[in-house]
Amino acid sequence: MSHAGSYLIDRHAAEKAVGLALPMIHEAMKLKEVGESGFLYIVVMDPLRGPATSSFEEAILYEHAVGDRSKWDADYAGFARAKARVAWRTGMDSHLVQELRPYLLAPGDTVLWGSAIVDGITVAVSGANPWYDEAFAGTVAMCLRAVAKAGIVQERSKGLFLPK
């Protein structure tokens, strides 16, 4: 069932995008109104591995934990993956699905929200208040889009087609 993933958005690109967003996330997490857990989990999906061509697990491109996982008071990774699954499967932010298209929810789906889809790039976050989870997810997705845009500029200088 596996399908080749994105050429420009690979694990390294996702790691770079998360790294670009982390200084802002770390500063924001110091504020009580952002959330009080002190922990965060980020899930980035491969934009070319959709439900028609890949399993959910195959489509997970990169995951990152913020904070000491041994001190977690909840399963933030499980929550973030569940949010990512809803967004990945529907092609919409999890909040949008829950508020405007709840009929797209399937048995076992989470009613937590905190994901973003930017131009087909799906990112989910858990650990903060959901509106901040969504903001952090959107930030990572925008950074990943920027990494891909920088990558295509570099690839164009090498030729008219991407290598196989």
Side-chain angles (χ1 to χ4, degrees):
M1 183 174 190
S2 184
H3 175 73
S6 173
Y7 181 81
L8 293 170
I9 295 180
D10 59 9
R11 180 181 170 80
H12 175 72
E15 190 173 0
K16 183 173 184 175
V18 168
L20 290 168
L22 280 177
M24 182 269 303
I25 291 170
H26 284 297
E27 283 303 308
M29 287 178 65
K30 295 176 184 176
L31 306 172
K32 290 290 183 199
E33 70 256 23
V34 171
E36 297 187 23
S37 75
F39 308 108
L40 204 72
Y41 199 79
I42 303 166
V43 177
V44 180
M45 305 300 292
D46 187 314
L48 280 189
R49 290 182 183 254
T53 60
S54 300
S55 71
F56 175 73
E57 291 75 20
E58 290 172 325
I60 295 173
L61 187 60
Y62 180 69
E63 298 177 90
H64 182 81
V66 176
D68 182 354
R69 288 183 77 164
S70 69
K71 296 180 180 175
W72 281 9
D73 57 347
D75 183 8
Y76 298 108
F79 297 155
R81 285 189 198 112
K83 295 174 189 184
R85 183 184 299 273
V86 169
W88 172 79
R89 190 187 72 241
T90 63
M92 292 178 268
D93 300 353
S94 53
H95 188 235
L96 175 67
V97 173
Q98 290 178 26
E99 294 301 318
L100 299 178
R101 296 190 175 93
Y103 46 85
L104 295 176
L105 292 169
D109 279 348
T110 184
V111 294
L112 297 170
W113 58 278
S115 65
I117 297 184
V118 176
D119 294 339
I121 299 168
T122 303
V123 179
V125 174
S126 192
N129 288 318
W131 42 93
Y132 286 106
D133 285 345
E134 182 181 70
F136 298 152
T139 300
V140 171
M142 292 294 290
C143 288
L144 189 50
R145 186 175 75 172
V147 168
K149 286 181 176 186
I152 196 62
V153 168
Q154 188 175 29
E155 290 299 323
R156 267 194 210 110
S157 69
K158 299 176 187 174
L160 298 177
F161 296 91
L162 297 173
K164 291 185 180 185

